[in-house]
Amino acid sequence: MSSLKEICSGLPLDPLPPNRGRDPNVPHAPIRTPNLTAEEERLALRNALRYFPPCHHATLAPEFAQELRQYGHIYMYRFCPTLRMRAYPIDQYPCRTRQAASIMLMIMNNLDPAVAQFPQELVTYGGNGQVFSNWAQFCLVMHYLSEMTEEQTLVMYSGHPMGLFPSLPSSPRAIITNGMVIPNYSSRNQYEKMFALGVSMYGQMTAGSYCYIGPQGIVHGTMLTVLNAGRRYLGSDDMSGRVFVTSGLGGMSGAQAKAAVIAGCIGVIAEVDEAPLRKRHEQGWLMEVTSSMDHCIKRIREAKSSKTPLSMGFHGNIVDLWERLLLEYERTGELLVDLGSDQTSLHNPYNGGYYPVQLSFSQANQLMMTDPKRFITMVQESLRRHVKAINNLSEAGMFFWDYGNAFLLEAQRAGAEVEKVGGGATEFRYPSYVQHIMGDIFSLGFGPFRWVCTSGDPQDLSVTDNIAATVLEEISANVTDRVKQQYNDNIRWIREAGKHDMVVGSQARILYSDQKGRVCIALAINQAIADGRVSAPVVISRDHHDVSGTDSPFRETSNVYDGSAFCADMAVQNFVGDAFRGATWVSLHNGGGVGWGEVMNGGFGLLLDGSEEAAKRARLMLNWDVSNGVARRCWSGNTNAYDTIQATMQENEQLRVTMPFPVQDEQVLDRALQG
């Protein structure tokens, strides 16, 4: 088995490692169908061989060609390390700077088989969220990071390490871009070709920025969504006995089961692929698993009657489950579901992100490879059935929302009845969870702040949990009632977080917080490192799915109604602003969450090492990282954001934001347009 030192020593060329092919013991990505011409196949092969001296081309070319034709992409399985991928403690990485070691730790966490969806294809989550495009890139990146000084920056082009370039100690140690395709060519079909050619990559949100922390990364936001859905749709904080039905138990969607139980309700999650279903059950995220529809309905009735929190995975297609719930209602008059949503990966509908109800899991995987056109037709037929059942249950009293995975967008494209009469470009028959639930939380400045204890020691995580809870309790004594509810939800979360066994991979935590909370928590953790109460540095980060990080008209910015929902200035400014304010690394991605060409998102990582310099960077960068988005939302007309940025300006005299003057008399517009 290789060591950390060996995998940081560059591409193993003398001798070449044996080609073990694919490991049958881990799940694998669906086979891609890029439909390359003969000339494009030649180009893909030529591009892959660029990483290797010509003396190895005769050996590698045939196997790379076979991978391309067999799997639709050249993954370079020969160079997949035999060392167990995981977040080794930061002091174990051979390197010249801890900033580089922190990036190495996060990369290896993203590829940990306990964390990654398809580890050998370098896919972390979402079906196609790549960390790198191939294993040669991984080897080179680890080598560059091991040699990097604090006067160099690693430049990453869609998985490809362009190299180390001279920079300042205050500069980011890595600048990552993924999928920066000229807008007119940012289509799904073009993407499949560009990925197969090895020239562009879909980094999802936190896969290609090395900041994924497993399903915990979304569980807090999912819990807040379910709680606030109960408040909005059911008129109650008490979710006991309420049934939430949804689908997907993969990387991000896997959080739904745990979140439902923490919120106190009954979560029923359909999943067609047995591998993630079993994985979530073994990890303790799912309480029960069944492939029997009758048993599923029986358990819903029992849990509903006893008001017992439950998370149950249904091994089957979500369309079948919705249709059975509708049948039960039509037979008995009993509506067994209160809240509904969907987290299948419809940003990737035709390559494993959505499985049509007409086919079994294996049949679907076969058809998407052998007859892609027929597969597309069947997906669209399934989506129409899917929506029809949801529409009928909604008319009976269920409340449904879109979970920002392009479900309603793809359903509309398939001809399903999801149109909102008189709605705008980002509106459908059902709201997105941003429009009705999380958008106002973002506009108050709250979002998915995260940290990773690089020691790998659970005790450090426990100490940081307590620090964060104490900080929030102190701040919450002096906030408005509207903000206080958010603080109370988040204090409850962090006080109970350690009880829910959410750590998968690195010793990480997620905690929704506003600007003041993020800054104060980061500074308090940095001080604890300096004092020795936390034994090693801590990486702070966030989901890109946040107040500032993402311009996404069908999700994060779907509640921006001034016509700018399709503009991406915020995400790009976020990336640039984080870079020169002190982030350890920054990333900018096309795609993520709702699909290629539909969104632009930026992320960061920042190493806290207990130094004054780290505190200065955290203060400067985190203030910008939130205020950027709040200011943009304020300018679009959001009243929560208006109040939030006003309060922030009062606390910081260096902050001056252009404030909007709203039209108070609509008749002024009427008269002007009629005249």
Side-chain angles (χ1 to χ4, degrees):
M1 180 175 285
S2 54
S3 65
L4 279 173
K5 186 175 181 180
E6 286 172 324
I7 68 168
C8 291
S9 61
L11 277 167
L13 299 175
D14 188 20
L16 289 173
N19 184 12
R20 299 176 183 83
R22 303 216 300 184
D23 181 354
N25 299 312
V26 296
H28 289 283
I31 291 167
R32 295 178 174 276
T33 51
N35 296 317
L36 301 183
T37 64
E39 204 49 47
E40 286 167 338
E41 282 189 339
R42 192 178 186 84
L43 182 57
L45 194 54
R46 186 193 307 278
N47 287 347
L49 291 171
R50 287 183 290 191
Y51 289 101
F52 306 93
C55 60
H56 294 300
H57 288 185
T59 301
L60 297 176
E63 69 187 55
F64 288 175
Q66 183 182 2
E67 284 184 18
L68 181 63
R69 288 174 171 166
Q70 192 169 351
Y71 306 121
H73 187 73
I74 300 171
Y75 295 105
M76 306 185 187
Y77 291 114
R78 176 190 287 266
F79 297 95
C80 180
T82 55
L83 178 71
R84 163 65 202 270
M85 289 288 189
R86 68 177 182 86
Y88 292 89
I90 193 168
D91 290 336
Q92 294 185 21
Y93 296 92
C95 60
R96 298 179 181 182
T97 165
R98 275 182 158 181
Q99 292 185 51
S102 70
I103 302 171
M104 296 160 96
L105 181 151
M106 299 293 278
I107 287 170
M108 291 195 70
N109 186 65
N110 267 20
L111 293 170
D112 181 342
V115 174
Q117 187 177 12
F118 306 123
Q120 281 208 304
E121 287 74 45
L122 303 115
V123 172
T124 298
Y125 71 98
N128 59 351
Q130 303 284 149
V131 185
F132 301 109
S133 181
N134 60 57
W135 285 104
Q137 293 173 349
F138 168 83
C139 295
L140 287 173
V141 166
M142 295 298 280
H143 180 57
Y144 280 133
L145 289 170
S146 72
E147 297 206 322
M148 171 191 287
T149 71
E150 292 192 2
E151 292 187 335
Q152 291 174 302
T153 292
L154 175 63
V155 176
M156 297 293 304
Y157 279 27
S158 286
H160 170 67
M162 193 58 69
L164 292 174
F165 291 79
S167 61
L168 298 169
S170 59
S171 303
R173 297 282 70 84
I175 301 281
I176 304 160
T177 52
N178 285 306
M180 293 294 108
V181 173
I182 304 301
N184 271 359
Y185 304 91
S186 189
S187 69
R188 249 184 221 138
N189 289 340
Q190 290 277 21
Y191 166 70
E192 290 297 337
K193 281 186 182 288
M194 284 186 280
F195 182 61
L197 291 173
V199 297
S200 196
M201 190 182 87
Y202 189 81
Q204 257 288 355
M205 293 187 130
T206 52
S209 62
Y210 320 146
C211 292
Y212 186 68
I213 61 167
Q216 182 192 172
I218 199 66
V219 71
H220 186 18
T222 307
M223 183 206 76
L224 290 175
T225 301
V226 174
L227 275 180
N228 284 294
R231 289 167 182 153
R232 176 166 188 137
Y233 301 131
L234 307 176
S236 176
D237 276 323
D238 182 7
M239 294 292 290
S240 58
R242 300 294 197 169
V243 178
F244 170 48
V245 172
T246 181
S247 66
L249 284 166
M252 299 304 266
S253 56
Q256 295 179 107
K258 179 76 78 173
V261 172
I262 296 171
C265 68
I266 299 145
V268 183
I269 305 94
E271 171 59 65
V272 292
D273 185 355
E274 191 172 10
L277 191 83
R278 296 294 169 196
K279 189 174 183 178
R280 298 296 164 232
H281 190 234
E282 288 163 9
Q283 290 172 343
W285 286 66
L286 261 181
M287 294 163 69
E288 297 180 15
V289 171
T290 183
S291 57
S292 163
M293 185 75 79
D294 290 340
H295 181 72
C296 184
I297 297 298
K298 177 173 176 281
R299 289 296 289 126
I300 291 173
R301 283 199 166 98
E302 289 170 353
K304 197 171 169 63
S305 174
S306 63
K307 296 191 173 182
T308 306
L310 172 68
S311 57
M312 182 165 56
F314 170 63
H315 183 210
N317 197 293
I318 184 61
V319 181
D320 284 327
L321 181 56
W322 283 127
E323 290 179 342
R324 176 62 182 270
L325 287 165
L326 178 61
L327 184 63
E328 291 294 323
Y329 173 72
E330 290 170 344
R331 282 176 178 168
T332 67
E334 183 183 13
L335 186 62
L336 292 174
V337 53
D338 301 283
L339 301 171
S341 193
D342 188 277
Q343 272 202 39
T344 41
S345 297
L346 271 153
H347 67 275
N348 180 33
Y350 307 127
N351 197 49
Y354 182 89
Y355 284 81
V357 67
Q358 309 95 305
L359 301 170
S360 70
F361 181 66
S362 59
Q363 286 171 336
N365 280 325
Q366 183 70 19
L367 188 65
M368 74 176 77
M369 179 179 60
T370 57
D371 193 347
K373 287 186 177 178
R374 183 158 171 254
F375 184 76
I376 290 170
T377 300
M378 297 190 84
V379 165
Q380 292 174 334
E381 287 173 3
S382 182
L383 279 168
R384 291 193 290 272
R385 270 177 64 179
H386 198 150
V387 167
K388 184 178 180 182
I390 288 167
N391 286 349
N392 288 332
L393 286 164
S394 296
E395 286 168 8
M398 175 189 75
F399 295 92
F400 184 88
W401 69 87
D402 183 292
Y403 225 130
N405 58 335
F407 173 66
L408 292 179
L409 180 64
E410 288 303 327
Q412 181 188 56
R413 289 169 176 167
E417 295 179 20
V418 295
E419 183 183 353
K420 179 179 179 179
V421 178
T426 63
E427 295 179 285
F428 297 97
R429 177 172 184 159
Y430 303 104
S432 82
Y433 75 122
V434 172
Q435 287 170 323
H436 267 200
I437 301 167
M438 297 303 286
D440 277 348
I441 292 174
F442 285 164
S443 295
L444 290 170
F446 286 85
F449 184 58
R450 299 173 175 179
W451 63 91
V452 175
C453 297
T454 67
S455 64
D457 185 349
Q459 179 58 30
D460 277 350
L461 186 59
S462 178
V463 171
T464 57
D465 282 349
N466 191 55
I467 288 170
T470 303
V471 166
L472 294 188
E473 285 163 356
E474 289 171 358
I475 298 174
S476 69
N478 298 297
V479 296
T480 64
D481 288 345
R482 183 168 46 179
V483 174
K484 187 179 277 291
Q485 183 184 56
Q486 297 307 318
Y487 266 89
N488 289 343
D489 284 347
N490 294 311
I491 290 165
R492 169 186 160 188
W493 161 266
I494 196 64
R495 283 292 184 203
E496 297 179 2
K499 303 174 188 174
H500 292 293
D501 193 25
M502 290 183 292
V503 169
V504 176
S506 60
Q507 291 294 318
R509 186 66 74 221
I510 185 167
L511 170 64
Y512 267 62
S513 184
D514 62 355
Q515 180 172 322
K516 189 170 186 177
R518 297 185 207 201
V519 173
C520 291
I521 291 168
L523 295 178
I525 290 175
N526 193 58
Q527 188 59 50
I529 297 165
D531 296 343
R533 288 177 288 134
V534 173
S535 69
V538 169
V539 172
I540 59 171
S541 182
R542 57 159 168 74
D543 195 346
H544 297 204
H545 168 63
D546 195 10
V547 52
S548 283
T550 300
D551 284 299
S552 177
F554 297 102
R555 193 162 80 180
E556 283 80 359
T557 45
S558 60
N559 66 332
V560 169
Y561 299 116
D562 68 346
S564 71
F566 292 87
C567 300
D569 302 77
M570 179 176 72
V572 176
Q573 288 282 358
N574 183 263
F575 161 80
V576 175
D578 283 354
F580 67 71
R581 286 179 176 86
T584 306
W585 71 94
V586 289
S587 59
L588 183 68
H589 298 184
N590 169 14
V594 296
W596 186 260
E598 306 283 2
V599 50
M600 194 70 72
N601 64 88
F604 76 86
L606 174 62
L607 184 70
L608 300 176
D609 60 7
S611 66
E612 268 302 310
E613 174 67 17
K616 181 181 176 182
R617 289 175 179 232
R619 187 180 291 110
L620 196 59
M621 198 213 72
L622 289 173
N623 276 312
W624 153 257
D625 192 65
V626 178
S627 278
N628 169 43
V630 178
R632 185 268 176 99
R633 292 164 194 277
C634 163
W635 186 244
S636 77
N638 186 288
T639 55
N640 275 359
Y642 186 99
D643 294 343
T644 302
I645 207 68
Q646 285 275 33
T648 308
M649 282 193 286
Q650 288 170 12
E651 291 184 2
N652 185 349
E653 61 183 25
Q654 287 187 297
L655 178 66
R656 296 181 64 189
V657 172
T658 307
M659 303 298 283
F661 293 100
V663 172
Q664 295 180 336
D665 182 1
E666 290 291 321
Q667 292 183 357
V668 170
L669 305 182
D670 295 337
R671 288 194 294 271
L673 293 168
Q674 288 165 5

